Amino acid sequence: MSTSHTAQVEGILSTARTLRSELGTDFHEQLVEAVFATAARIADRAVSRPGEKARPTLDRTIDRLVTSRVWGFPLMFLLFTVMFWLTISGANVPSAWIAWLLIDKIYPLLREGAAGLGLPWWLWGLVIDGMYLATAWVVSVMLPPMAIFFPLFTLLEDFGYLPRVAFNLDWLFKKAGAHGKQAMTTMMGFGCNAAGVIATRIIDSPRERLIAILTNNFALCNGRWPTQILIATLFIGPLVPAYLGGMVSALAVVGVAVLGVVLTFMIAWGLSRTVLRGQVSTFSLELPPYRPPRILQTLYTSVIDRTILVLWRAVVWALPAGALIWLTSNIHIGGRSIAEHLITLFNPPGLFVGLNGVILLAYILAIPANEIVIPTVLMLTVLATGTTGVGQGAGVMFDLEDTNQLMALLRSGGWTLLTGINLMLFSLIHNPCSTTIYTIYKETGSAKWTTIASLMPVVLGFAVTFLVALVWRLMTGAA
Amino acid sequence: MLITSAGSNPAGCAACPVHHVQNLLKLGVTMDNWNFVVALAGNPNTGKSTVFNALTGLRQHTGNWPGKTVTRAEGGFEYRGHRYKLVDLPGTYSLLAASPDEEAARDFLLFGRPDVTVVVVDATRVERNLNLVLQVLEITDRVVVCLNLMDEARRHGLQVDDRALTRELGVPVVPASARYKEGIDGVLQAISDVAMGQFVCKPRRIQNEPPELKGAVAELTTRIASVFPGLPNARWVALRLLDGDERIIQAIRKGELGELGGASPAEPATTEAAHLEGVR
């Protein structure tokens, strides 16, 4: 760039400065007004409303209802309970069917095939018993609930309900010192925490964005529903008469999800008053018009975009995790497998907080994917109790369709109602999965905040389960 | 890859307006060797992502809530033998105030220099959406207005006269309902017309600013135009300088703006390849 050019540029800038000071301060407003006036004049000429038909009032009526101070929250609660209930009651049959196909039919075929080929036992053990079964379990447990929940959620999104949820929750987030838009990212977190963390980009203020990232893990992601749903069905459902079981189990799952939202507020409140102090930003949220959802397209896109993608990621993580689980159960040191050693090691702290060694080990093995916690727990329980007659051998994941049999197995592993409740709580409050941790690192670019985001929930989880166990023991007088 | 429609049409068919959509070859994320860059701007929640998907065959997630598109998405399509790169910008209400979204959208229009900018307008909220259209028209001449959500406008008993809008704005205005794939052919035709120079835009400029402003703007515009010949939006730059816009002052100092006077469109200064595929 030549010097004369630079001089010319500086000349322009100084002229601009001079003119600007002459114009006064309301220049910006004048300009905006000129734009608005022009827009209004053009719109006036181009838009007409023949017949003076009043604006349809259906939208307004719905809005008044779903964002009402009185009805907004109960309706929200009801809607999500119904969604979870549909998911829970609708997923059982296809889940059992897929499990039958993948585990009862294909699995024996694969084993026979491997035996026929004369492969060494450890190879097919690792590949078929470890990797294949872990994947088969993940698919059969995760696919049906996702295929029901995601389309329902997408239909609500398409219809325009999500911004109303944000509207309802906005004042709470503000009270907690967080950004109102965090209501959206929390909603996304119910689908997948990694997606929720990415969605925090809609929050402009770095302080509030960090709060949203650190608390997104408390939105119960779909990888954790199978755990919640199964444990609620096993431990909470039987507390009431059979015909109420399904609804009460659904309510228990919603209760855990609501607890997650409450924790989000509490942690946000704590953070915004300590390490992340600052002003709450204001923002305007436009409530979009309700649009009739396109059912078929929504089904298609939610299956392709969300279900298959999330499932694929789970499968990718389940393969190595399955191998790892198989190895820990089949490599023996001093006459016992590594898994047994670890269970013995984790049992005292586990029991102390109302869980057990099996659960803690399962959570460590399942850091890559929350989805495989339950199969890992079952597999390790069989190993630890030495139960025979179920499963196919050490380190082999399996499926028990009969709830009574499942209960009997867990009881022999020392499970009580407390273990069930605390497992549901711990499933809500523990470290994010490795995908989410990686996403947090990418989004914050900070090892410090990633560490905090990973460790804070674990510490909190132990504190909560310990407190529940303490109260439980005081109330029941159990040791 | 998501190529969904036939690529080879007999030349006779290609000339027939009925077959516009058949001329569309959705290229998904393949967008090398493009002939034209098309930017997609608009207010939040007007269906930009739906239009984007209809043109590229990608399935960027769409949702009925504002602020959903958090990263810039890019895709490609081919129409009548020309390859287009389509860039979906974050939804904004204006290009004046300084939120990161608005800055991203504005920087792309200014420094990315798209060959055509499609502004997606909500037909049920024409007046408010026009605020953005008018601001875009200050930055770039070559604009296509996609009057989206016509189905909703009809449902609300609104009649929007697209021909009157075309007359007023001086750029093609195409009615559409992207959700139902209506009007996409018209949008394609308009993009092609503007890109190839078959439709010469005479964009509406904001004129009714206060008289004392007029002189200042005119003076500064002349000086900018003489230092940066070929700059398509000298008047807009003058307005921004008068408003004390630091980003524009910087751009002038660093010579970023000077490059804009050149013949070939430069790659955007803030290129950040953001493909939404695979992160959900």
Side-chain angles (χ1 to χ4, degrees), chain A residues 244-463:
Chain A
L244 287 172
M247 197 36 125
V248 169
S249 307
L251 277 172
V253 177
V254 173
V256 170
V258 168
L259 176 68
V261 177
V262 170
L263 279 172
T264 303
F265 289 132
M266 281 166 51
I267 302 294
W269 187 85
L271 286 171
S272 67
R273 266 152 197 80
T274 52
V275 281
L276 292 170
R277 249 185 302 250
Q279 290 290 309
V280 175
S281 341
T282 54
F283 75 107
S284 61
L285 176 74
E286 188 187 354
L287 294 183
Y290 291 103
R291 290 175 184 154
R294 292 146 306 156
I295 311 281
L296 286 177
Q297 192 168 343
T298 302
L299 286 178
Y300 175 78
T301 50
S302 64
V303 165
I304 298 297
D305 278 5
R306 292 186 163 165
T307 313
I308 298 297
L309 262 168
V310 172
L311 189 71
W312 175 244
R313 202 173 46 212
V315 166
V316 166
W317 284 112
L319 286 169
L324 187 68
I325 290 165
W326 190 85
L327 287 174
T328 53
S329 317
N330 283 282
I331 298 177
H332 290 73
I333 299 170
R336 295 165 80 212
S337 66
I338 295 178
E340 281 170 289
H341 281 295
L342 288 171
I343 291 169
T344 317
L345 182 71
F346 288 136
N347 243 334
L351 291 171
F352 182 66
V353 296
L355 296 167
N356 56 42
V358 165
I359 296 175
L360 291 192
L361 179 59
Y363 268 99
I364 292 171
L365 290 174
I367 285 177
N370 280 303
E371 294 79 14
I372 56 170
V373 163
I374 282 295
T376 311
V377 162
L378 294 183
M379 188 271 294
L380 292 174
T381 306
V382 172
L383 190 72
T385 55
T387 310
T388 50
V390 288
Q392 272 98 1
V396 183
M397 288 190 192
F398 58 90
D399 182 14
L400 287 173
E401 279 137 54
D402 185 356
T403 17
N404 292 327
Q405 211 184 343
L406 199 54
M407 259 321 252
L409 172 69
L410 291 178
R411 288 219 185 279
S412 74
W415 286 53
T416 60
L417 179 58
L418 171 67
T419 322
I421 292 173
N422 267 358
L423 176 54
M424 286 178 79
L425 289 171
F426 193 72
S427 155
L428 172 72
I429 321 166
H430 71 94
N431 56 287
C433 70
S434 52
T435 313
T436 307
I437 295 176
Y438 178 60
T439 311
I440 293 173
Y441 180 70
K442 272 200 304 189
E443 293 296 314
T444 59
S446 148
K448 182 185 114 190
W449 287 113
T450 309
T451 313
I452 293 175
S454 312
L455 293 184
M456 183 254 296
V458 191
V459 174
L460 193 67
F462 279 118

Side-chain angles (χ1 to χ4, degrees), chain A residues 10 28 45 201 286 291-292, chain B residues 71 93 152 168 179 243:
Chain A
E10 288 306 322
H28 189 82
R45 278 179 213 159
R201 290 181 191 175
E286 188 187 354
R291 290 175 184 154
Chain B
T71 40
Y93 293 105
E152 266 175 44
E168 292 283 340
R179 264 158 67 89
D243 207 2

Side-chain angles (χ1 to χ4, degrees), chain A residues 118-130:
Chain A
L119 296 174
W121 73 272
W122 57 266
L123 184 63
W124 56 257
L126 184 67
V127 174
I128 299 172
D129 291 348

Side-chain angles (χ1 to χ4, degrees), chain A residues 1 5 7-13 15-17 19-20 23 27-28 30-50 53-56 58-59 154 157-164 181 184 188 192 194-195 198-202 204 284-294 297 300-301 304-306 309-310 313 442, chain B residues 44-47 50 59-68 70-71 93 96-97 99-101 122-128 130-132 134-135 149 152 154-161 164-165 168-169 179-181 204-210 212-213 216-217 219-220 223-224 226-228 239-244 249 252-255 272 277-280:
Chain A
M1 206 181 295
H5 183 81
Q8 280 176 314
V9 166
E10 288 306 322
I12 291 175
L13 293 180
T15 311
R17 268 196 301 276
L19 288 169
R20 199 177 159 218
L23 283 170
F27 170 81
H28 189 82
Q30 288 179 344
L31 203 63
V32 173
E33 267 169 36
V35 174
F36 276 39
T38 314
R41 223 182 22 248
I42 298 174
D44 202 40
R45 278 179 213 159
V47 184
S48 56
R49 199 191 289 278
K53 195 172 124 217
R55 197 191 138 160
L58 184 64
D59 279 25
T154 316
E157 185 181 356
D158 210 27
F159 177 59
Y161 184 65
L162 287 197
R164 273 81 187 178
K181 277 188 194 166
M184 296 283 200
M188 293 287 285
C192 170
I198 292 174
T200 60
R201 290 181 191 175
I202 60 174
D204 302 332
S284 61
L285 176 74
E286 188 187 354
L287 294 183
Y290 291 103
R291 290 175 184 154
R294 292 146 306 156
Q297 192 168 343
Y300 175 78
T301 50
I304 298 297
D305 278 5
R306 292 186 163 165
L309 262 168
V310 172
R313 202 173 46 212
K442 272 200 304 189
Chain B
N45 209 35
T46 51
T50 311
R59 291 179 312 254
Q60 202 196 142
H61 181 62
T62 58
N64 186 9
W65 51 286
K68 170 203 65 61
V70 287
T71 40
Y93 293 105
L96 291 169
S99 84
D101 275 359
D122 179 349
T124 65
R125 289 164 171 76
V126 170
E127 182 179 334
R128 200 192 58 199
L130 279 177
N131 293 329
L132 179 72
L134 290 168
Q135 288 172 47
L149 305 174
E152 266 175 44
R154 278 193 292 273
R155 188 163 69 87
H156 288 259
L158 286 170
Q159 262 185 10
V160 187
D161 186 345
L165 279 176
E168 292 283 340
L169 295 171
R179 264 158 67 89
Y180 304 99
K181 306 264 185 294
R204 167 77 166 237
R205 293 277 149 93
I206 297 146
Q207 282 136 4
N208 49 339
E209 63 263 280
E212 68 270 22
L213 210 74
V217 175
E219 186 188 338
L220 207 53
R223 291 202 53 177
I224 293 169
S226 72
V227 179
F228 301 103
L239 285 168
R240 296 317 301 149
L241 288 183
L242 287 174
D243 207 2
I249 294 174
I252 286 198
R253 282 225 170 93
K254 285 187 193 150
E272 160 209 351
E277 290 290 293
V279 288
R280 276 179 297 275

Side-chain angles (χ1 to χ4, degrees), chain B:
Chain B
M1 209 38 52
L2 303 149
I3 298 168
T4 53
S5 76
S8 57
N9 279 306
C13 266
C16 170
V18 179
H19 293 290
H20 285 165
V21 176
Q22 272 73 37
N23 291 335
L24 171 65
L25 183 61
K26 296 167 181 174
L27 296 175
V29 293
T30 316
M31 50 200 161
D32 18 314
N33 306 322
W34 62 82
N35 304 101
F36 301 107
V37 175
V38 180
L40 205 54
N43 281 20
N45 209 35
T46 51
K48 282 183 303 301
S49 298
T50 311
V51 173
F52 179 86
N53 290 348
L55 291 175
T56 59
L58 288 173
R59 291 179 312 254
Q60 202 196 142
H61 181 62
T62 58
N64 186 9
W65 51 286
K68 170 203 65 61
T69 304
V70 287
T71 40
R72 207 175 69 200
E74 299 181 353
F77 65 91
E78 191 177 317
Y79 182 69
R80 295 195 161 186
H82 290 279
R83 292 165 81 88
Y84 295 81
K85 177 169 122 171
L86 189 64
V87 180
D88 191 10
L89 300 175
T92 55
Y93 293 105
S94 88
L95 299 174
L96 291 169
S99 84
D101 275 359
E102 293 189 3
E103 202 174 309
R106 190 189 72 182
D107 280 0
F108 188 81
L109 294 183
L110 193 60
F111 305 117
R113 279 221 299 166
D115 297 287
V116 183
T117 302
V118 178
V119 188
V120 182
V121 161
D122 179 349
T124 65
R125 289 164 171 76
V126 170
E127 182 179 334
R128 200 192 58 199
N129 281 247
L130 279 177
N131 293 329
L132 179 72
V133 176
L134 290 168
Q135 288 172 47
V136 172
L137 286 176
E138 292 281 325
I139 296 184
T140 167
D141 289 2
R142 294 190 285 182
V143 171
V144 170
V145 172
C146 169
L147 197 57
N148 197 22
L149 305 174
M150 284 302 278
D151 53 309
E152 266 175 44
R154 278 193 292 273
R155 188 163 69 87
H156 288 259
L158 286 170
Q159 262 185 10
V160 187
D161 186 345
D162 53 287
R163 299 209 309 202
L165 279 176
T166 303
R167 247 189 341 265
E168 292 283 340
L169 295 171
V171 297
V173 177
V174 188
S177 300
R179 264 158 67 89
Y180 304 99
K181 306 264 185 294
E182 287 170 32
I184 296 299
D185 45 354
V187 174
L188 279 168
Q189 185 61 47
I191 291 174
S192 157
D193 286 350
V194 172
M196 312 284 285
Q198 278 157 350
F199 187 108
V200 181
C201 298
K202 296 187 189 71
R204 167 77 166 237
R205 293 277 149 93
I206 297 146
Q207 282 136 4
N208 49 339
E209 63 263 280
E212 68 270 22
L213 210 74
K214 273 215 165 86
V217 175
E219 186 188 338
L220 207 53
T221 307
T222 321
R223 291 202 53 177
I224 293 169
S226 72
V227 179
F228 301 103
L231 190 69
N233 37 33
R235 202 184 90 98
W236 183 82
V237 172
L239 285 168
R240 296 317 301 149
L241 288 183
L242 287 174
D243 207 2
D245 190 321
E246 276 304 321
R247 177 77 183 84
I248 302 301
I249 294 174
Q250 289 289 318
I252 286 198
R253 282 225 170 93
K254 285 187 193 150
E256 286 175 77
L257 211 59
E259 290 163 16
L260 301 185
S264 69
E267 253 298 88
T270 51
T271 298
E272 160 209 351
H275 304 297
L276 281 177
E277 290 290 293
V279 288
R280 276 179 297 275

